[in-house]
Amino acid sequence: MRKFLITLVLVLFFYLAGLYRSSSVMIFISAFLVFLTILGILSKYLARRLEIGVEPERNKVSKGSTLTVALTAANRSRVPVMRFEVRLKIWNRGTSKAEVKKIQGYVPGRGTARIEAEISPKHCGVLEICTEKAKVWEPLCLFFGQRKTQASCKAVVFPKGYEMQFFMDSLPFGMEAEAGKNRPGVQPPEIYQIQAYRPGDGLRDIHWKLTARSGELLSKQYCTEVQAPVFVFWETRVEKPLSPGQMDAFWELCYAVSAGLLKEKISHQVGCWDRMTGQIQVYPTACCEDIMDNVCEMIRRDALTVENGYTEEVYLREMYRRQEEGEIVLCMDTSLRLHLYHKLLIQFSEDDYAEEIKKERFLLS
């Protein structure tokens, strides 16, 4: 609108100058055109002197929550930038669609501006944020210069945190037949080991003597509490690229399996193929932070790729070895199927897996 008005005024002055043959008006028009040219050149200069950076508030964020991204603009010239605009491109790795946000601001001469933008990730995975281009206006905001920018950052989007429901049917390891264990006079259960106090342990289970000696809160674990080892395998092999919804559901279900086991106080191990070592990497899982770290690590490594480097033989050999050692083996694959040993427990759907997690209860035996 401003350019239109200025052009209209110049045309009017040019008409008047020709109508009245006024040299002073022609000089004014010429000077004004030179001034506009200088402004146009200034806008190009300011665009080159403006440096753009972008960084997330944190490098991990839960799906559906808000991630704050800080954009910094440093003006290396003495002329203030009255207005600039930066296009942010936001997308999850492995998807073709990207969200675009426009951020505008002001930067004083030789100064720096910091502007925050909020992003709500919709899928699990690696969230990539980069600046495409920046537009910079001169002080009168009549002309702008633009330049390509290459500032970028990443953040890992982890699952919301669903929990599957499990229960153990068989007797735990180390437990004798205790049909009459509640009868008066029966000896208390044998202590299996002493471990660091965990939230949920009762006061009667605290080993007060060792706690006083060591200065660290310790609790007793009884033989009746020692359960069969559980191993969860995340089978990341894919025959074709997964859709964002499939990736999202897979990571949510992987988290839900481990979270459900921990809810029943079943510590376990998680296994996943590691392309860097060419072996199945095993991660101990004793708390929710361990699950989060495991999921985020696999997401960072792009575990869900077509060329992930291991065969059916490698997978079967590991599963058979675990079974021979007496472990309970669970497997979650990229087709959203949960197996107990080789038995299919459930086939989750991509759209309704959250509701299915709440409804189903699985027996581990």
Side-chain angles (χ1 to χ4, degrees), residues 6 9 40 101 130 172 178 233 251 271 294 301 306 311-312 323:
I6 290 175
V9 170
K101 278 184 173 288
C130 70
E178 299 180 86
F233 186 70
W251 292 123
N294 297 341
R301 295 187 183 185
V306 177
T311 62
E312 182 75 14
Q323 293 178 41

Side-chain angles (χ1 to χ4, degrees), residues 134-364:
K135 292 183 179 180
V136 181
W137 280 261
E138 35 72 34
L140 295 183
C141 295
L142 296 176
F143 302 96
F144 66 85
Q146 60 181 3
R147 54 170 293 190
K148 292 183 178 180
T149 58
Q150 298 179 345
S152 63
C153 62
K154 298 177 183 178
V156 175
V157 183
F158 53 80
K160 284 185 176 180
Y162 298 107
E163 295 178 346
M164 288 191 190
Q165 302 180 67
F166 295 100
F167 67 99
M168 304 287 290
D169 186 50
S170 59
L171 290 176
F173 280 14
M175 184 175 180
E176 304 292 336
E178 299 180 86
K181 65 179 181 180
N182 295 322
R183 293 188 314 224
V186 173
Q187 295 296 320
E190 182 183 353
I191 296 176
Y192 173 71
Q193 66 178 2
I194 305 299
Q195 63 179 11
Y197 177 82
R198 298 173 302 177
D201 290 346
L203 291 177
R204 65 180 181 83
D205 298 327
I206 296 177
H207 200 301
W208 295 107
K209 291 184 178 179
L210 289 181
T211 296
R213 292 176 186 174
S214 64
E216 179 185 1
L217 198 59
L218 302 173
S219 62
K220 296 174 282 188
Q221 186 180 21
Y222 302 101
C223 289
T224 55
E225 297 175 340
V226 180
Q227 298 169 330
V230 177
F231 179 74
V232 181
F233 186 70
W234 296 348
E235 188 177 355
T236 57
R237 290 178 298 172
V238 294
E239 297 179 357
K240 59 181 180 179
L242 301 179
S243 67
Q246 290 173 318
M247 290 185 184
D248 200 42
F250 176 76
W251 292 123
E252 288 281 9
L253 291 169
C254 287
Y255 183 96
V257 171
S258 288
L261 292 172
L262 290 184
K263 185 179 180 181
E264 298 300 320
K265 297 185 178 180
I266 304 173
S267 59
H268 56 282
Q269 292 182 322
V270 169
C272 187
W273 176 260
D274 188 346
R275 286 181 295 170
M276 298 178 64
T277 62
Q279 298 178 351
I280 293 177
Q281 187 71 31
V282 178
Y283 303 93
T285 306
C287 61
C288 291
E289 287 75 14
D290 290 340
I291 310 174
M292 199 66 64
D293 291 341
N294 297 341
V295 172
C296 290
E297 182 64 23
M298 291 300 103
I299 290 175
R300 284 195 190 98
R301 295 187 183 185
D302 285 334
L304 298 181
T305 57
V306 177
E307 301 83 9
N308 48 18
Y310 74 99
T311 62
E312 182 75 14
E313 290 74 17
V314 174
Y315 163 70
L316 292 176
R317 185 168 60 249
E318 181 71 15
M319 296 304 102
Y320 281 129
R321 185 181 69 82
R322 295 281 176 176
Q323 293 178 41
E324 289 176 359
E325 294 176 358
E327 297 186 37
I328 296 175
V329 180
L330 289 167
C331 176
M332 173 59 65
D333 63 27
T334 52
S335 297
L336 310 184
R337 295 174 298 191
L338 178 64
H339 291 84
L340 176 61
Y341 303 110
H342 296 291
K343 176 186 175 183
L344 177 64
L345 293 181
I346 187 174
Q347 167 77 62
F348 290 96
S349 63
E350 180 182 332
D351 299 323
D352 298 326
Y353 65 87
E355 292 299 321
E356 293 165 352
I357 288 174
K358 297 176 183 177
K359 293 178 181 177
E360 298 293 335
R361 195 161 181 253
F362 305 103
L363 170 65
L364 299 181

